[in-house]
Amino acid sequence: MSSQVRAKKKKKTSLVYVATCGAGLENLVADEIKEHGGTVTGTKPGAVSWEGNLEAGYRLCLWSRFASRILLQIAEFAAPDPDILYRETGKLDWAEHLDPGKTFAVYCTLSESKITHSQYAALRIKDAIVDQFRSRTGRRPTVDVMHPGMRINLHVQGDRATLALDLSGDSLHRRGYRVAGVEAPMKETLAAAVVHLSGWTAEFSPDAVLLDPMCGSGTLLIEAAMIYGDTASGLQRKTFGFMYWPKHDARLWEKIVNEALAREERGLEKEWPRIIGYDADPNAVAAARKNIEQAGLEDKIEVGQRQLADLARPAESGLVLVNPPYGERLSEREQVKYLYRCLGRKFCHDFYGWQVGFFASNPDFSSILGINWAATIKLFNGPIKCKLHHGIAEQKQEEPGFIPRVHDIAPGPEEEDFANRLRKNCTALFPWAEQEVLTCFRIYDADIPDYNFAVDLYEEWVHVREYAPPKAIDRKEAGRRLQAGLQVIRELLGIPPSRVFIKTGQKPAGKNQPRSKNHAGKLSEVRENSCRFLVNFTDYPDTGLPLDQREIRAMIGRLAPGKKFLNLFGSTGTATINALAGGAIATTTVDGSAALLQRAGLNISLNGYGGPQHIIVLQDCLNWLQKSGGRYGLILAAPPSFSSDPRRKTTFKLQDDHEKLLRLAMNRLSREGLLIFLSGSRKFRLSPAVSKEFDVREITGATVPRDFGKNRPPHRCWEFRHPESVLS
């Protein structure tokens, strides 16, 4: 046979296809087309044009990991208006493509066309097909838009119309294994691309580990396992569009499927690396397990519930894949930013040397992770612009906590007493703080009456809060002494003025005090033991990390394992973080301030916690207690002395309302649980009635830290339990 005859034969049997895909996946789809015997003829966003025989079309339907649909072109013609569209469609012999006993549907896309109504254009195609069958046979195929047997695609570009058969049927991302889902799941085609572009292949070392710490319903894990095991993406699908096509070659299809089954069998028999997934949400873990079981991969993929905070390095090398929450709303974006900080610490401290594939929609935050990305690829998750970052995590040591050095200074005669007292305090407290690994503590608390303020260290920052002076003290003189004291603080500790924050003459107020209009509300990150907190030095009387409650937070951490924790008047959630770090199985944080609870959410993300079992409630605590249900093994009630909310028309006075509060809170305490009641008011007196009603023990002495032990206790604290009669 001459080469000319062979060329004609090849041309005659060649079919024209279009493979559609998500934006950014075109090159991956083109590579697949070439791998399975096709020839790429053109590429545009979301579509790859190609030619090949029927076998190549079948193979793409079965094997493509990245394409959405495989369309077989059957006609192309000029279509300047719907009538010509109808006439040209009617010239085709539709008996070659449709069985009158089966269903079909027409789908239309328009681009720069004079035809402006896609549904009307699809209707004209449908009419032309139905009218032809009716006139020739008296029968007509049924239209089923929801579940058609054969999908017919019409695409009109300008005046040119293209008709194609959708050989895929349902979109190819529907592999058949997803039987359970979570909110906003990633499509399987995109997940396969993320896995592939992150460096995962069928040749990945069996000694390494693939880990997804936020696995959701397990899509990344399953796609990775299918790639490693050489499993065809569509092998579990029951139907494809071509099965409803009169020209379907069942024997050819059976041959291709049997070949895929044999390849899968060989892939399952080889040595596998560990593929591990975790999620903080138990519902997501349950969904992942169902999907993995449906995919037949339960012996290849491990999944479990675990917080990011508890993530540990399972092997010396591997690939960690992360698809974190996107945070489309502004408040969610802030939480995502601090979640990235947590992930960055994990990557650089626990997963150094590992490959990292990080897929996210927040490109501005990618630098937070602290990785020098080797590649960044633009992709889309539906309409959301995203980027896949790929690189190697480098080891970074945790910076030691900052405690300033005491400097020699020469204060003036009037400031000498204050300087000596501050030096004496620092000399005594700094060694203790280093031993206790503390970087946030109090170094001065109005020890000298003329210098009536408190000085707190928050790592490299100093927070100075002036107490409201008695009326007998001249304000100008008090202000002069404050300024002199600030000069001593800066010189003695070697702290630049930009890191010293002053709050002058502010009286203690309810926690719902509005933000100052003069500050942007910048948050700074500090550490306390294994926890991290965001503090605000400018906008509130308090920073959001009350240092005098350090021992109470530590106590909650020790008592929390296995318990449900309720944090009433939870403020910025500092006690909740300690409960989470201690092993609380569920937490509820209730407060009436949206601003403070927002920071509580940020603190939770910063520390690597989350999931529906840890909730934040914006509501008046008394109202919430009256309407809520459930029991808690550990409760903290730390109400302010006074608070009011004009919008909700609520007022809380600690002395007047604490009996009601405690009775309501004790109704939520489990039979053997513990309630810790904390009052920051020195004038507060606990009602004798509640002391008789419950088993009450004051523990103030055990809860005052050393740096607050010189003066009168800054708070009072009690333990509440149900009396033995309740337990019997």
Side-chain angles (χ1 to χ4, degrees), residues 62-114:
L62 181 64
W63 280 96
S64 179
R65 303 192 189 279
F66 314 118
S68 300
R69 298 185 181 279
I70 306 299
L71 307 178
L72 172 61
Q73 183 175 319
I74 58 174
E76 183 179 3
F77 49 81
D81 61 59
D83 291 336
I84 296 176
L85 192 64
Y86 173 88
R87 185 174 67 247
E88 293 296 323
T89 301
K91 294 178 181 179
L92 302 175
D93 185 359
W94 284 101
E96 292 186 3
H97 305 300
L98 293 177
D99 185 329
K102 296 179 181 177
T103 61
F104 80 104
V106 181
Y107 302 87
C108 174
T109 57
L110 303 174
S111 177
E112 302 176 353
S113 172
K114 295 178 182 178

Side-chain angles (χ1 to χ4, degrees), residues 481-518:
R481 288 173 179 168
L482 175 61
Q483 292 303 316
L486 291 172
Q487 183 68 23
V488 169
I489 293 168
R490 289 191 287 260
E491 292 180 358
L492 186 73
L493 300 178
I495 302 291
S498 61
R499 293 185 180 177
V500 179
F501 297 88
I502 310 104
K503 297 199 178 90
T504 59
Q506 298 186 73
K507 295 181 180 180
K511 291 186 293 183
N512 297 341
Q513 177 176 324
R515 293 167 59 94
S516 166
K517 296 181 180 179
N518 300 322

Side-chain angles (χ1 to χ4, degrees), residues 159-176:
D159 287 343
R160 300 298 297 176
T162 303
L163 282 172
L165 304 178
D166 186 347
L167 300 187
S168 318
D170 270 345
S171 172
L172 293 178
H173 82 271
R174 300 183 186 279
R175 316 287 206 214

Side-chain angles (χ1 to χ4, degrees), residues 18 131 153 606 613:
V18 173
D131 290 348
N153 278 68
L606 177 67
Q613 66 274 37

Side-chain angles (χ1 to χ4, degrees), residues 381-538:
N381 190 355
I384 304 173
K385 293 181 180 180
C386 300
K387 288 184 179 179
L388 172 63
H389 304 279
H390 178 246
I392 305 294
E394 298 178 5
Q395 185 174 17
K396 294 182 180 179
Q397 297 295 334
E398 183 84 24
E399 293 185 4
F402 177 82
I403 297 178
R405 183 171 62 86
V406 178
H407 293 73
D408 292 328
I409 63 172
E414 294 186 5
E415 296 84 35
E416 187 172 2
D417 287 348
F418 172 70
N420 289 337
R421 177 55 64 91
L422 185 62
R423 178 185 291 105
K424 180 180 179 182
N425 289 355
C426 292
T427 301
L429 290 171
F430 285 4
W432 162 77
E434 288 184 2
Q435 183 178 356
E436 297 294 321
V437 197
L438 287 177
T439 56
C440 302
F441 52 97
R442 178 156 290 184
I443 58 175
Y444 177 84
D445 193 2
D447 300 0
I448 299 174
D450 287 346
Y451 293 87
N452 191 34
F453 46 78
V455 182
D456 296 322
L457 286 182
Y458 286 86
E459 301 210 355
E460 69 238 52
W461 298 281
V462 176
H463 182 256
V464 180
R465 177 174 167 182
E466 182 188 28
Y467 296 122
K471 293 182 180 179
I473 300 297
D474 180 69
R475 283 297 303 157
K476 289 185 179 180
E477 178 60 20
R480 189 194 66 77
R481 288 173 179 168
L482 175 61
Q483 292 303 316
L486 291 172
Q487 183 68 23
V488 169
I489 293 168
R490 289 191 287 260
E491 292 180 358
L492 186 73
L493 300 178
I495 302 291
S498 61
R499 293 185 180 177
V500 179
F501 297 88
I502 310 104
K503 297 199 178 90
T504 59
Q506 298 186 73
K507 295 181 180 180
K511 291 186 293 183
N512 297 341
Q513 177 176 324
R515 293 167 59 94
S516 166
K517 296 181 180 179
N518 300 322
H519 299 283
K522 180 180 178 181
L523 299 178
S524 301
E525 182 180 332
V526 298
R527 289 165 287 185
E528 183 179 272
N529 299 321
S530 63
C531 302
R532 292 170 182 264
F533 301 103
L534 296 168
V535 292
N536 180 312
F537 295 122
T538 58

